[in-house]
Amino acid sequence: MISNYYILNVLRFILLVLVQVLVFNRLNFFGFINPMVYILFLYWYPIKENRAAFIGLGFLLGLAIDFFSDTMAIHTASTITIAYIRPAIMRFVFGVNFEFQSFKLSNTTQVQQITFLTLLILVHHLVFFTLEIFSLANFLLVLKKVLATGAATLILCLLFGSLFSVRKE
Amino acid sequence: MQQIINFIIRYKNFLLYILLMIISLGFTIQSHSYHQSRFFNSSNWVTGNILRTSNNVTTYFGLDQENQRLMEENERLRYLLFNKSSLDTVALDSVQQTYTVTTGKVIKNSYAHPRNYITINQGEKDSVKPDMGVITSKGILGIVENVSNNFATVQSILNEKSNINAKIKNTDHFGSLVWDMKRFDVVQLVDIPRLVPLTIGDTIVTGGMSSIFPEGIPIGTIRKFDLNSSQSFYSIDVTLFNDMTNIKNVYIVNNRYREEILELQNQTEADDK
């Protein structure tokens, strides 16, 4: 069972990176929207895991994407940020429930799951586009990119989520 | 001592986060300077090969269009060739030519970021070096920035760091070509003095000041122009000839005398000090 579960996560990691760099990085919807579906990895990742390992994985994930997209280390900075603050977001969304041993993502309501995903995407995109554009003068451009790309990412992540729903782990 | 250790254990996640953040910001800020980090680019072995494999599959979909484009270019070149009055083979000796040209294929293109890089399938093995110019049959594309054995990354003209010498065709008024990060089909030409007569639709070509591109490579046409805030220079929007979203075959241009020019310029600057 244990090895099964590792294989699942490794496969998920590789597939999401490949799908991201080979398909979604080239989408350029309306000329600038490239949804970042690899965030799903951090959304799906088991909750009761070592936090340090989780941040480390976020670092590797971001690094892999950065290598392919010539974006320096911007993806990395955003993935470690959401990896670090994920517990805080979860406490905010799920309340005290999330502290219990029996807590499972699949047991929560749809609204809670979507809120959780939306907050992850929002934080990630804010960090990403702020670093990418790197100037306060273009704050409106940052906002526009965050909202447009965020909406596209959210829709695609929800579609992917319903296609490959998390098995009851 | 006990307290320090306790502190570290208590905040180990936070410290780990800060450490990784510093690493990634370090990489990011380091490459804000002129060159990209040596390893942080898609011309390395693993990413280059994966991108090439994917490109091998996807190129088939645009084959017709691409052939058509190459035919049109051949037609234009044939026309020039047939109408050239004297064909002196001595003048075609490669030792006497300033520029040499190699072909390449784009395996990764991007135009949605403030800093766009294009990856091509030619590298050190094909004697591509940093700072060579890259053009297509329609106009300029960018400058080679990093090179690995088999691949190279090109800093696209759609990059906020890009700065290329350009002029208005048939005059010698030159300015700098930059990008304001807004639209992928429009770049800006700045520093053209106010006294220059401009018309919408005028052609912009590369200038002779750069040691990277030959003079007269087409760039685009004037879309609109305004005076800048100091009222003494124009800021011109240029519509590109190249469709930056759809690029397959490129030419890499090498100036044989670039090193000599740079050396001379450096020497002159050093003498000034």
Side-chain angles (χ1 to χ4, degrees), chain B residues 13-264:
Chain B
N13 289 327
F14 181 68
L15 291 175
L16 177 69
Y17 170 65
I18 292 294
L19 176 75
L20 292 178
M21 196 64 171
I22 289 172
I23 294 176
S24 47
L25 284 183
F27 277 130
T28 308
I29 290 164
Q30 177 203 357
S31 41
H32 270 252
S33 58
Y34 178 62
H35 268 291
Q36 253 183 315
S37 149
R38 185 76 182 78
F39 299 102
F40 255 99
N41 60 69
S42 59
S43 69
N44 66 50
W45 186 82
V46 181
T47 54
N49 276 304
I50 291 179
L51 288 171
R52 180 165 64 184
T53 312
S54 121
N55 189 60
N56 280 348
V57 176
T58 50
T59 45
Y60 285 103
F61 298 109
L63 224 49
D64 258 3
Q65 237 179 31
E66 203 51 38
N67 278 341
Q68 188 62 37
R69 211 177 298 174
L70 293 177
M71 288 280 280
E72 275 163 22
E73 189 188 11
N74 277 342
E75 186 185 301
R76 193 169 54 81
L77 293 177
R78 290 254 176 225
Y79 171 79
L80 286 178
L81 191 67
F82 292 147
N83 290 309
K84 196 166 157 47
S85 47
S86 71
L87 272 179
D88 188 359
T89 45
V90 177
L92 290 173
D93 186 356
S94 65
V95 182
Q96 296 189 10
Q97 307 299 313
T98 315
Y99 295 101
T100 53
V101 177
T102 352
T103 57
K105 274 207 173 104
V106 172
I107 60 169
K108 193 215 99 194
N109 186 9
S110 98
Y111 49 87
H113 302 285
R115 289 201 190 93
N116 293 300
Y117 293 95
I118 296 163
T119 312
I120 55 175
N121 70 345
Q122 301 282 308
E124 229 161 308
K125 254 174 37 187
D126 316 283
S127 63
V128 172
K129 291 190 207 67
D131 290 333
M132 285 186 177
V134 180
I135 62 176
T136 71
S137 54
K138 288 195 184 143
I140 67 165
L141 192 62
I143 297 169
V144 176
E145 177 143 338
N146 272 301
V147 180
S148 71
N149 240 338
N150 295 302
F151 306 100
T153 51
V154 178
Q155 178 190 291
S156 159
I157 43 172
L158 301 184
N159 188 314
E160 57 170 337
K161 287 197 284 179
S162 163
N163 191 341
I164 290 168
N165 181 274
K167 65 174 192 177
I168 296 149
K169 197 179 180 181
N170 298 332
T171 72
D172 276 322
H173 296 290
F174 65 90
S176 303
L177 199 70
V178 293
W179 188 46
D180 67 356
M181 309 184 276
K182 296 225 170 76
R183 295 181 52 164
F184 58 76
D185 53 347
V186 177
V187 293
Q188 281 67 38
L189 179 62
V190 294
D191 293 344
I192 295 277
R194 184 181 182 159
L195 55 94
V196 180
L198 293 177
T199 336
I200 287 177
D202 276 359
T203 308
I204 306 292
V205 297
T206 53
M209 312 292 157
S210 123
S211 53
I212 295 173
F213 291 106
E215 194 174 346
I217 304 271
I219 296 172
T221 54
I222 296 183
R223 177 188 154 84
K224 74 178 188 14
F225 54 88
D226 291 310
L227 283 172
N228 70 358
S229 47
S230 71
Q231 298 289 308
S232 48
F233 289 100
Y234 281 119
S235 152
I236 304 168
D237 275 7
V238 180
T239 313
L240 292 171
F241 285 131
N242 256 332
D243 178 2
M244 296 299 284
T245 63
N246 185 5
I247 295 163
K248 273 280 151 58
N249 291 295
V250 298
Y251 302 102
I252 304 142
V253 184
N254 179 28
N255 184 345
R256 275 200 324 133
Y257 298 119
R258 175 172 162 78
E259 270 156 31
E260 193 179 328
I261 295 173
L262 284 185
E263 202 177 303
L264 186 65

Side-chain angles (χ1 to χ4, degrees), chain A residues 28 67 70 72 84 132 145, chain B residues 14 31 42 108 111-113:
Chain A
N28 293 313
F67 270 125
D70 292 311
M72 300 162 292
Y84 177 69
E132 187 186 39
K145 287 201 165 189
Chain B
F14 181 68
S31 41
S42 59
K108 193 215 99 194
Y111 49 87
H113 302 285

Side-chain angles (χ1 to χ4, degrees), chain A residues 24-158:
Chain A
F24 290 107
N25 269 0
R26 302 177 174 188
L27 206 56
N28 293 313
F29 195 49
F30 290 134
F32 71 100
I33 299 178
N34 288 322
M36 302 177 201
V37 290
Y38 67 90
I39 296 177
L40 273 176
F41 181 81
L42 301 171
Y43 169 72
W44 275 335
Y45 197 76
I47 292 141
K48 288 177 283 291
E49 274 295 321
N50 184 352
R51 267 187 81 189
F54 183 53
I55 297 177
L57 266 176
F59 184 74
L60 285 183
L61 178 68
L63 214 59
I65 306 278
D66 275 325
F67 270 125
F68 279 100
S69 22
D70 292 311
T71 40
M72 300 162 292
I74 305 177
H75 283 288
T76 318
S78 354
T79 48
I80 55 173
T81 307
I82 54 171
Y84 177 69
I85 67 166
R86 191 176 82 151
I89 296 181
M90 291 185 101
R91 203 163 294 126
F92 172 73
V93 175
F94 303 119
V96 279
N97 274 344
F98 133 83
E99 310 277 351
F100 293 133
Q101 274 300 308
S102 59
F103 177 81
K104 278 178 198 143
L105 198 57
S106 45
N107 287 347
T108 54
T109 62
Q110 194 99 43
V111 178
Q112 281 177 325
Q113 287 178 18
I114 295 177
T115 321
F116 175 42
L117 184 59
T118 313
L119 284 174
L120 281 184
I121 292 174
L122 203 65
V123 174
H124 177 279
H125 284 26
L126 260 179
V127 176
F128 181 84
F129 287 113
T130 313
L131 282 178
E132 187 186 39
I133 292 167
F134 216 71
S135 84
L136 276 181
N138 286 315
F139 188 66
L140 276 180
L141 187 64
V142 176
L143 266 190
K144 178 185 134 196
K145 287 201 165 189
V146 168
L147 291 180
T149 314
T153 310
L154 181 66
I155 293 169
L156 278 165
C157 283
L158 288 175

